[in-house]
Amino acid sequence: MERIVKRRPPDYQYTQAAFSALRGKYPIARYTVCGRSLCSRSIYAFILGEGESPAVYTAGYHGQEWLTTLALLRFFEELCYALTNGKELAGVPAASALEGRSAVFLPCVNPDGVEIALHGPRAAGQYQPLVEQAMRGSTEKWNANARGVDINHNFDAGWEIARRMEREMGITGPAPRRFGGDHPESEPETIAVTGVCRQTDARSLLCLHSQGEEIYWQYGVSTPKRSPMMARILSASSGYRLAQPAAISSHGGAKDWFIAEMNRPGFTVEIGRGTNPLPIENFESIYLRIREMLMLFLLM
């Protein structure tokens, strides 16, 4: 198999090229743009299968966590290859896995944030002065979008609680991370995720982040009854431990919103271990460890 998805940091130019190449090679899927970032970069969505209520895979919420985008692109490519050629993926016949099912992939929810993290504040276009002021000379902790809003703190699930915690930490405006915006769903990147989930009546949501080798699956009393079983399967497959997010990370996330609004299973998976951005040299070993888990998520 000659790969389209190579082992290199997936900046926007790379993601655009991968989108075009995958669309040309694998017409078995449907390819669309589900939203645009603040800087008008496309937020791509890839769709497989004809079943209703898809499993939704998302990645690239945070600028420094670009390895998650590469992982989801690689999984999508391998799944397309297996479907096209009647192969198995992670020991599962791909055609059987998608029989009566569907999946939607959003490989990079926050393309502006990834671009800023990789190429600096000039990637923010008209928002460059804001980014320069917020980052205070260093891009090494940049996770937010071009407006300094942390997308995974901008969802409508305990947002007010998270906002209070932000203020207690001294975060009152645009910042490299953890500023949840002026109100829930204030950012186009957030709306792209919620729009896909609502419009497709998604049955489950998987959000790839890094790092820690942990899986978060609960959100208070809204947690569905089948979530614990699904979480145990994902954990057993990957070897990642089941955990509870702490303090400010326990509200405002995509997984939290999905569980609270859709009343269906949502998961945050923290891939790899180390310091973000995780080294590109570690990509293959990280991906191979989660590939079976990604496949099993489609089946549940």
Side-chain angles (χ1 to χ4, degrees):
M1 173 184 177
E2 184 177 351
R3 297 190 188 281
I4 291 171
V5 180
K6 310 289 187 181
R7 191 182 69 181
R8 53 158 284 196
D11 62 10
Y12 186 59
Q13 183 179 17
Y14 177 101
T15 306
Q16 282 183 306
F19 178 85
S20 297
L22 289 165
R23 182 170 56 183
K25 188 173 183 179
Y26 296 113
I28 191 173
R30 303 187 299 282
Y31 302 83
T32 188
V33 173
C34 65
R36 295 196 179 273
S37 70
L38 280 170
C39 297
S40 296
R41 293 185 173 98
S42 297
I43 301 173
Y44 294 113
F46 306 165
I47 306 159
L48 280 170
E50 301 297 332
E52 297 180 355
S53 299
V56 176
Y57 297 77
T58 58
Y61 286 86
H62 289 144
Q64 295 291 335
E65 299 178 10
W66 45 258
L67 206 74
T68 62
T69 292
L70 198 61
L72 198 50
L73 284 170
R74 172 66 66 82
F75 177 68
F76 175 78
E77 180 181 18
E78 290 194 339
L79 184 54
C80 285
Y81 176 84
L83 285 166
T84 302
N85 295 281
K87 303 287 188 179
E88 295 182 349
L89 181 57
V92 179
S96 297
L98 267 169
E99 187 174 355
R101 300 183 181 91
S102 60
V104 179
F105 303 81
L106 276 62
C108 192
V109 169
N110 182 13
D112 294 350
V114 170
E115 200 73 0
I116 292 165
L118 288 172
H119 299 303
R122 283 186 295 179
Q126 65 178 308
Y127 298 95
Q128 180 177 347
L130 182 154
V131 169
E132 289 176 335
Q133 182 177 5
M135 68 172 44
R136 298 177 182 178
S138 174
T139 61
E140 66 182 30
K141 292 187 176 181
W142 193 266
N143 272 348
N145 73 350
R147 191 152 45 201
V149 175
D150 189 320
I151 298 305
N152 210 44
H153 285 241
N154 189 236
F155 289 85
D156 193 6
W159 184 88
E160 292 288 353
I161 300 171
R163 184 62 181 270
R164 185 174 66 249
M165 292 180 181
E166 291 167 15
R167 289 171 174 161
E168 290 171 354
M169 295 175 65
I171 302 170
T172 58
R177 58 181 62 205
R178 292 180 173 169
F179 174 57
D182 294 327
H183 58 83
E185 293 190 50
S186 62
E187 307 308 299
E189 298 88 351
T190 312
I191 292 169
V193 177
T194 58
V196 166
C197 292
R198 288 167 177 150
Q199 290 162 20
T200 64
D201 193 31
R203 73 172 188 267
S204 54
L205 175 68
L206 186 75
C207 309
L208 293 184
H209 288 262
S210 64
Q211 48 76 43
E213 297 183 354
E214 295 179 328
I215 299 172
Y216 307 132
W217 56 278
Q218 296 172 285
Y219 192 66
V221 298
S222 300
T223 305
K225 291 182 179 179
R226 65 191 183 101
S227 292
M229 176 271 293
M230 293 177 68
R232 287 193 294 270
I233 292 171
L234 298 178
S235 175
S237 171
S238 62
Y240 287 7
R241 74 182 187 96
L242 300 180
Q244 286 271 21
I248 196 171
S249 298
S250 57
H251 298 283
K255 175 266 293 179
D256 309 323
W257 164 81
F258 189 80
I259 292 172
E261 179 170 314
M262 306 290 286
N263 299 121
R264 294 172 182 174
F267 304 89
T268 295
V269 177
E270 300 279 357
I271 70 170
R273 190 180 292 274
T275 301
N276 287 323
L278 295 175
I280 192 67
E281 294 78 16
N282 294 356
F283 170 70
E284 300 294 342
S285 60
I286 290 171
Y287 173 69
L288 289 175
R289 188 167 174 185
I290 65 172
R291 181 170 61 182
E292 181 183 72
M293 176 185 66
L294 296 175
M295 196 65 180
L296 291 175
F297 181 72
L298 177 59
L299 296 172
M300 291 188 288

